[in-house]
Amino acid sequence: MGLHIPRCYTILFWVFCLVIGLVVGSVAVSANFIVGFLFKEVYSLFVFRLVDTTMVRVYDILIPCLYNVATVLLGSALVLFIAPIAAGSGQPNMYAYLNGVEMPGFLTLKVAVVKLVASVLVVSGGLVIGKEGPLLHIGAIVATFLGGSRVFRSLGQRREQDPFTYEQHARDLVACGTAAGLAAGFKAPVGGMLLAYEMASRWRPELTWRTLFTCAVVAAVVRGGSALSVDKGTLSYGSLLFFRNEVDFPTPIQEVHWVALLGAIGGVVGSLFTTLNMYLGSKRWRFKLNIPLRLLEAASVTLLTTGLRISLPFLGTCLEKTDHCQGEEHCLAAPGVEELQAFGFYGCHNGTYNDLAVLLNNPQGFVVKSLFTEGPHAFHGVSLVIFCVFYFSMSVVTYGMAIPAGLFTPSVITGGALGRVYADAVNRAFGVKLDPGLYAFLGSGAVLGGLYRFAVSFVVILTELTNTEEQLPLLMLVVIIAKGVGDRFNQNILNHLCVLSGLPYVGGHPESTIKRKGFEAKDVMTRTMTTLDLRERREVIDRALELDETEVFPVVERTGWTVIAFRGLVYAQDLRELLASVDDAENGGVSERAEIDDEKTRLLGENASRLLGSHPPVINEEGEDLIDLSGITKLPPVVIPPDMSLTSIYRLKNSTGLEYIPVVSNFGPLKGMITRDLLVQCQNTLIDPYHVEDRLEKLTLEPYLDRVSYENWLSGVDSLPVMKTAKSFTVAANRQRQPSRRLLRRTTTIA
C-alpha cells in the first residue's frame, strides 16, 4: 500500500479551520475585554455611586440612563444605517443557510464589523441580551471570507458536485465557523461542534473532525488569552467563563421526580417566550422600514430597562453578608463583584446587601455565578421571582429590536432564576432540601431546551461551561423533557423566526407530525409547469427565460401535446449560455447578450466549446430551426414515484440537498415536480399544527413573499419593498400559493 497524500483542497480546508479558530478566538477575547472595560471603568462608576449613596440627586439617576441610551442608540444606528441585516443574533439566518437557503449580503465583512461593534455597545448599555449568539454570525462570516477566496472556490469546483443540489463546500466551512463562534462564547468546543451538527441539514463524518479541530483551536486561544490577560478582573466582567472551577453540585438521583417537573416547567417557559416574541415581532413588522421609530423603540426599551434596574431593588430584601473568603477575618461580602458592596440607596446598613440590587446590577457572568454557586439563603424567594419575571419579560421585548442580540445568556440567567425559585418553593411547601445552585443549573438547561429544542448540544455546553460531568444524567433528563413539552405547544424559536423573516427553511417538524397528515408526493407536487422539448424553438426558450422564475426546466419528449417521456432537467443559466454561444457562432463575434457584462462575456467564451459540443446546436427540422438541448440536459440524481410519503421526501431533501425532485410514474412521463418552495409551502400550510404562517400573515398583513422581499432589501439584493393595501396582500398571497397561473404558452398541464 502506498502513502496516501491528502488533496490540495483537503489541506487548504484544514488550514482554513486553523485560521478560523485563531481569528474567532481572538475576536471573542477582545469583545469580552472591551465589554468588561466599559462596564467596570465607565458604567459601574455611575451605578455603584448611585447604589452606595444615601443622598440621591437627579444627576445621579440621569447619568446611567443617558449613558445606556447613548450606547444603545449608537449601536442601533450602526445597524440601521450601515448593515440592517446585522440585527438580531443571526442564528435563524445561519439555520436556514446551513439548510441550503442562499443568503446574499448576509455573510460579509461589513456585517461582521457592524455586528461586533454594535453588540459590544448594546451589551454595555445594560440591555437584557447576550453577545454569545452574534459570535456565531461573526464566525460564519470569517469562514465565508476564507471560503470565497479564488483558490478555495477553484479547488471546490473541481471536486465532484451533484447536479441540482445547493453548493456544499462553502457551507461546510461555514459550519466550522458557526461552531467556532459558540465555542468562543462558552468555551465549549464539543458543544460548539454538536450545535453546528444539530443546525446543519447535511453532515459528513469528515466534517465532524474538522469542526472539532476548529473548536479546539478556539478553546486554546480563549484560554490562552484569558491566562495572558494583564487585567483578569476586567476580563471577567465581560465573560461567562471565569467561574467553572468554583461549581460543586451534589448528585441527588433520588430527586429525579422533582427534576422531571422542572423540565416540564422549563418547556412551558421556553414555548411561552417563543409565542410572545413572535407576537411582538409581527407587530414590529409594520414599522420595519421606519428608522426613526426603530431608534425610538431602542431608546424607550433602554430607558425602561435602566429604570427597572434602579427602582426594582426597593422591592428587594436586605440580607446579612456572608463569608466569601473561607474563614479569613474581615471578609464578609455580598455576592457579585467586590465593588458593589454598599447599598445605602436601598436602606441597607453596613454588613447587609440588597439581594435584588445584586442580581440586577452585576455583570451577567457574576449573576450566573451567584445563581449557580450561592447558598440557599443568599436570595429571598420574592426577590428571585421579581428578577425572573424582569429578565424573562425584558428579553422578550428586547429581542427583535434593531440591535445585535443573543438569546443564550438571557436563557441561562432566566432559567437559573427559575430553578432557584422552584427549589425554594418546593423546599417551603414539602419540607425537602433541594440544592438551589443545582436546580438553577438544571433550570438553565430546561429553558434552553424549551426554547431551542437542541437537546444534545445544550447538555454538553452547560456541562463544559460549569465542569459538572456528574450531573450529566439529570441535565439530560431535564432538557429532553423540556423539549418534549415545548413541542406540544409550538416549534423551536429558530423555526418561528425563519417563518417570520420569510426564510424558506425545509424541515423542523417531527416526522410523527408529518406522518399523521398522510400526504404523498402527488399531493404536494406542482402538476403545471413550464417544460421544454429536447429540440425547442428559440422564441419558446427566450420566453421561458424571460417570464419563468424557476432555475431549472424539465425537458420532455412529446407526441403532439401529450408528454410521453421525461428526459431530464436543464439549468436556466446553461440555457442562457447556450443561446449566447449560438449567437456568437452565427454572428462571428460577441453577441448582444454577452456584451452586457464583461465578466459574463469571459465566462460565456470559456463555456462555448462545452455547450456547443461536437455537433451543432441548431437543427433544421421541417423548415424550422430548432435548438438541440441534449448537450446541456442532465438526468437528476433522484426521481421519485407519485406515492412516496412526504416523510421520506423531507428526509431525502435534507440528506441530499436536492433543490428539485422530479416525480415520475413507472419510468414513464413526468408527473410533476417538487421544489424547496413547494415543501416550505406544504409545511407552513398543510403540516404545521400551529398555523404559524397564517397567524403571522393576519398580524403583519403581509404574505410570505413580502417578508422575503424585506430580507432581500436588508441584504442589498432587491429594491425597497413597496407598502401595499390589505387587498393587494391577499392577491399576492394567492399568487404565491398558486404559482401555476404565471405560465407560458408552452406550459404543460400533466394529468
Side-chain angles (χ1 to χ4, degrees), residues 321-327 331-336 353 369 374:
K321 295 181 180 179
T322 56
D323 186 357
H324 282 72
C325 294
Q326 299 179 354
C331 200
L332 296 178
Y353 66 93
K369 176 185 175 183
E374 294 296 330

Side-chain angles (χ1 to χ4, degrees), residues 326-649:
Q326 299 179 354
E328 295 183 13
E329 296 183 0
H330 308 294
C331 200
L332 296 178
V337 298
E338 59 183 13
E339 292 88 351
L340 186 58
Q341 297 296 322
F343 302 88
F345 182 55
Y346 302 111
C348 297
H349 57 78
N350 292 336
T352 63
Y353 66 93
N354 185 291
D355 56 352
L356 199 48
V358 165
L359 292 172
L360 289 171
N361 295 302
N362 266 289
Q364 292 175 332
F366 285 91
V367 174
V368 176
K369 176 185 175 183
S370 299
L371 293 172
F372 285 6
T373 62
E374 294 296 330
H377 304 295
F379 306 102
H380 193 274
V382 175
S383 299
L384 286 170
V385 171
I386 295 173
F387 176 72
C388 183
V389 172
F390 163 80
Y391 230 86
F392 176 84
S393 58
M394 293 312 302
S395 59
V396 168
V397 173
T398 305
Y399 189 81
M401 296 195 311
I403 55 173
L407 285 176
F408 289 125
T409 303
S411 301
V412 170
I413 295 178
T414 302
L418 176 66
R420 289 191 76 104
V421 169
Y422 174 79
D424 183 72
V426 171
N427 290 342
R428 292 175 182 271
F430 298 96
V432 296
K433 294 183 178 179
L434 304 184
D435 183 85
L438 171 63
Y439 280 82
F441 171 69
L442 297 177
S444 296
V447 173
L448 283 170
L451 185 64
Y452 284 97
R453 321 288 164 82
F454 292 157
V456 179
S457 57
F458 285 125
V459 166
V460 177
I461 289 169
L462 288 174
T463 302
E464 290 184 289
L465 176 65
T466 56
N467 197 20
T468 53
E469 293 82 2
E470 293 181 357
Q471 286 70 38
L472 192 58
L474 296 178
L475 183 60
M476 293 170 61
L477 175 65
V478 77
V479 173
I480 291 174
I481 292 177
K483 179 189 182 303
V485 172
D487 284 339
R488 306 282 73 78
F489 295 98
N490 49 30
Q491 302 178 60
N492 68 58
I493 183 69
L494 297 182
N495 284 340
H496 279 265
L497 291 174
C498 284
V499 176
L500 177 62
S501 302
L503 300 174
Y505 179 87
V506 173
H509 293 283
E511 289 192 357
S512 58
T513 302
I514 304 176
K515 287 180 179 178
R516 283 197 297 268
K517 301 294 182 178
F519 291 120
E520 297 178 343
K522 60 187 176 185
D523 300 318
V524 301
M525 68 184 183
T526 175
R527 298 174 180 271
T528 309
M529 68 197 77
T530 302
T531 59
L532 299 175
D533 288 343
L534 203 58
R535 296 178 179 179
E536 190 59 271
R537 298 197 305 273
R538 172 65 181 266
E539 59 270 19
V540 173
I541 298 176
D542 285 335
R543 290 189 61 195
L545 293 174
E546 180 181 354
L547 299 179
D548 206 286
E549 298 176 354
T550 60
E551 293 297 322
V552 301
F553 298 95
V555 178
V556 298
E557 185 178 343
R558 311 173 197 267
T559 299
W561 287 96
T562 303
V563 176
I564 62 173
F566 169 64
R567 295 305 182 188
L569 301 174
V570 59
Y571 279 113
Q573 181 61 27
D574 284 347
L575 281 174
R576 295 187 183 95
E577 293 175 359
L578 178 63
L579 295 181
S581 302
V582 170
D583 291 339
D584 288 344
E586 292 178 351
N587 300 332
V590 180
S591 66
E592 294 181 0
R593 182 187 302 271
E595 288 176 350
I596 298 175
D597 191 331
D598 293 338
E599 180 67 14
K600 288 183 178 179
T601 301
R602 183 184 63 81
L603 293 175
L604 292 175
E606 294 175 356
N607 293 330
S609 59
R610 174 180 66 84
L611 295 171
L612 290 174
S614 58
H615 61 282
V618 179
I619 299 175
N620 188 284
E621 192 173 281
E622 298 181 358
E624 186 176 18
D625 288 339
L626 302 177
I627 296 181
D628 186 6
L629 304 182
S630 60
I632 59 175
T633 300
K634 301 177 182 178
L635 283 175
V638 174
V639 294
I640 62 175
D643 58 351
M644 176 176 277
S645 67
L646 192 57
T647 305
S648 300
I649 296 173

Side-chain angles (χ1 to χ4, degrees), residues 183-237:
F186 289 101
K187 200 189 295 185
V190 180
M193 183 276 295
L194 290 174
L195 181 69
Y197 171 78
E198 291 191 280
M199 289 180 66
S201 300
R202 297 171 68 186
W203 195 269
R204 302 191 306 277
E206 59 267 26
L207 186 57
T208 302
W209 296 108
R210 295 167 182 175
T211 308
L212 272 177
F213 172 72
T214 308
C215 293
V217 174
V218 169
V221 172
V222 172
R223 294 180 183 180
S226 303
L228 297 175
S229 176
V230 177
D231 190 354
K232 296 182 176 59
T234 299
L235 190 61
S236 65
Y237 275 71

